[in-house]
Amino acid sequence: MKKDFLSIDDYSPGQVKRTLELAARMKKTRKTASDIRPLGDRTMAMIFEKPSLRTRVTFELAMVELGGHALETQPPGVRLGRRESVPDLARNLERWVDIVVARVYKNEVIQELAANTRIPAINALCNLEHPCQAMADMMTMVELAGSRFPRVKLAYVGDGNNVCHSLMLASAMMGIELAVASPEGYRPLDRYLERAQQHCSSSGGKVSVLGDPRQAVEGADFVYTDVWASMGQEDEKLERQKIFQPYQINSKLVRSAAADFYLLHCLPAHRGEEVSDELIDGPHSRVFDQAENRLHAQKAIILSLLAPKVAARILEEK
Ligand code: CP
Ligand code: NVA
């Protein structure tokens, strides 16, 4: 049966760990290993209903560097299901390409796309999850924490959104401590908390959702934030700016974090809103390492779906 990557939960904790290991190998050998070009005859279709810089560039580059090819099917902003039904689109794509990546407004749309095609589908962000981002985030934390990983505390401060949901699942699988702080009415969905806590019971991790950003940041090794109004929520922007003000990551809020904490952000950042300039430009910031790791993590995800034997062989190599 074909495999998809629509949620972090589509992979077992073991598969997530192996994919992260593979991503680290891909990073180490980038530009030097001319033999890691296993996708010579493979193609990817990319569909973006919403804008993108990082996801768009890194998926195309990932395919190019693996020896394959990626193409975008439509200009960003076009909603799926309008010109033809999503199942029809899905049945067309499988006749031409080997894998499809889609950034959509509604999770149901990517589920419908994946259910109606024989090729693997990857979620490049929807209203509920951003699993490729969480893979790159875990990879970045493993690199920065070294042998201390997974004995680290991550604080996510802000909207309980798509990025937060995937981060909760990935953190729980990896066994780290994650404290989410969001205002009431903007907390992550209960079902993500429940699922994360199930994973914690076998991983030894801890995921909690709080209201107080100071409590979440206390002693944190990593402090993570995302925009207050996600793509599609532009008309709530002013209201959210007022509600989220106490959740801004600034020098005052991070005083109680570990002295050598790292600042993470999936980007794009709305400077002066969820994060102050001095922090995102300061010595604690690792946001561009995270952005770089999107490439390596996605190469590993693509290989795990399209060429699992190659992925296993690379992992076996010393
Ligand atoms: N972080 C992220 O997904 O960036 P883009 O929206 O630019 O793809
Ligand atoms: N939560 C943000 C993430 C952007 C990468 C959004 O959905 O717009």
Side-chain angles (χ1 to χ4, degrees):
M1 218 178 74
K2 67 119 176 182
K3 201 157 172 54
D4 299 309
F5 187 62
L6 306 186
S7 165
I8 286 284
D9 230 4
D10 283 344
Y11 282 13
S12 66
Q15 279 172 312
V16 169
K17 286 177 194 161
R18 279 194 298 282
T19 308
L20 291 176
E21 232 176 274
L22 184 61
R25 298 285 178 100
M26 302 313 291
K27 182 168 185 172
K28 209 166 155 199
T29 54
R30 188 182 179 208
K31 314 262 185 197
T32 56
S34 55
D35 58 335
I36 309 182
R37 299 271 185 279
L39 300 187
D41 56 349
R42 304 296 189 94
T43 47
M44 167 184 281
M46 301 185 293
I47 303 170
F48 284 90
E49 287 188 333
K50 307 183 198 182
S52 171
L53 171 69
R54 282 147 289 273
T55 311
R56 167 74 186 74
V57 170
T58 52
F59 266 115
E60 178 160 349
L61 201 52
M63 282 305 278
V64 169
E65 293 189 6
L66 290 169
H69 183 83
L71 57 93
E72 206 167 347
T73 60
Q74 58 184 34
V78 178
R79 293 225 187 190
L80 294 187
R82 300 262 160 105
R83 185 157 179 261
E84 61 191 306
S85 76
V86 172
D88 279 354
L89 172 102
R91 291 180 203 121
N92 273 270
L93 288 178
E94 72 185 15
R95 299 298 177 109
W96 307 312
V97 301
D98 301 288
I99 188 164
V100 56
V101 165
R103 168 168 287 193
V104 298
Y105 279 93
K106 290 188 177 160
N107 179 265
E108 295 93 301
V109 171
I110 185 119
Q111 298 287 351
E112 195 180 22
L113 179 70
N116 285 283
T117 186
R118 286 170 296 189
I119 57 175
I122 298 179
N123 181 354
L125 179 149
C126 66
N127 57 327
L128 293 181
E129 283 203 49
H130 196 1
C132 300
Q133 180 68 52
M135 282 292 213
D137 299 339
M138 287 301 130
M139 179 179 179
T140 310
M141 290 173 63
V142 170
E143 283 175 355
L144 292 170
S147 60
R148 272 198 313 136
F149 195 90
R151 291 179 307 283
V152 292
K153 178 178 177 184
L154 165 65
Y156 175 93
V157 178
D159 191 20
N161 60 16
N162 43 12
V163 167
C164 178
H165 288 155
S166 294
L167 204 58
M168 287 166 76
L169 294 176
S171 301
M173 283 186 181
M174 300 299 286
I176 68 178
E177 180 184 351
L178 166 62
V180 175
S182 312
E184 217 176 313
Y186 298 89
R187 302 211 169 128
L189 293 175
D190 286 344
R191 68 173 192 267
Y192 282 95
L193 181 59
E194 282 155 21
R195 185 66 185 136
Q197 284 171 344
Q198 279 171 9
H199 283 300
C200 286
S201 61
S202 26
S203 69
K206 186 177 168 207
V207 174
S208 53
V209 177
L210 318 163
D212 182 359
R214 281 161 308 194
Q215 198 186 337
V217 164
E218 203 176 329
D221 304 290
F222 295 92
V223 178
Y224 195 130
T225 190
D226 182 17
V227 292
W228 292 337
S230 284
M231 291 179 277
Q233 297 172 330
E234 289 76 10
D235 53 348
E236 296 173 33
K237 196 174 160 130
L238 291 179
E239 191 191 347
R240 282 171 175 263
Q241 274 174 0
K242 284 187 217 136
I243 294 167
F244 280 92
Q245 206 54 56
Y247 293 79
Q248 186 190 67
I249 305 292
N250 53 34
S251 310
K252 193 170 165 215
L253 184 64
V254 297
R255 258 182 225 152
S256 62
D260 55 354
F261 83 96
Y262 293 113
L263 172 75
L264 302 177
H265 191 310
C266 57
L267 303 179
H270 292 172
R271 288 159 172 264
E273 291 184 28
E274 75 274 5
V275 64
S276 64
D277 274 331
E278 91 254 13
L279 272 188
I280 199 163
D281 294 330
H284 296 277
S285 178
R286 291 295 181 277
V287 300
F288 300 111
D289 292 338
Q290 263 177 292
E292 181 193 327
N293 284 341
R294 294 294 303 279
L295 172 67
H296 313 299
Q298 283 158 206
K299 279 167 113 172
I301 294 164
I302 294 167
L303 279 184
S304 70
L305 294 171
L306 276 187
K309 283 187 188 151
V310 176
R313 183 172 52 75
I314 296 171
L315 283 175
E316 274 163 23
E317 282 164 10
K318 284 271 170 246

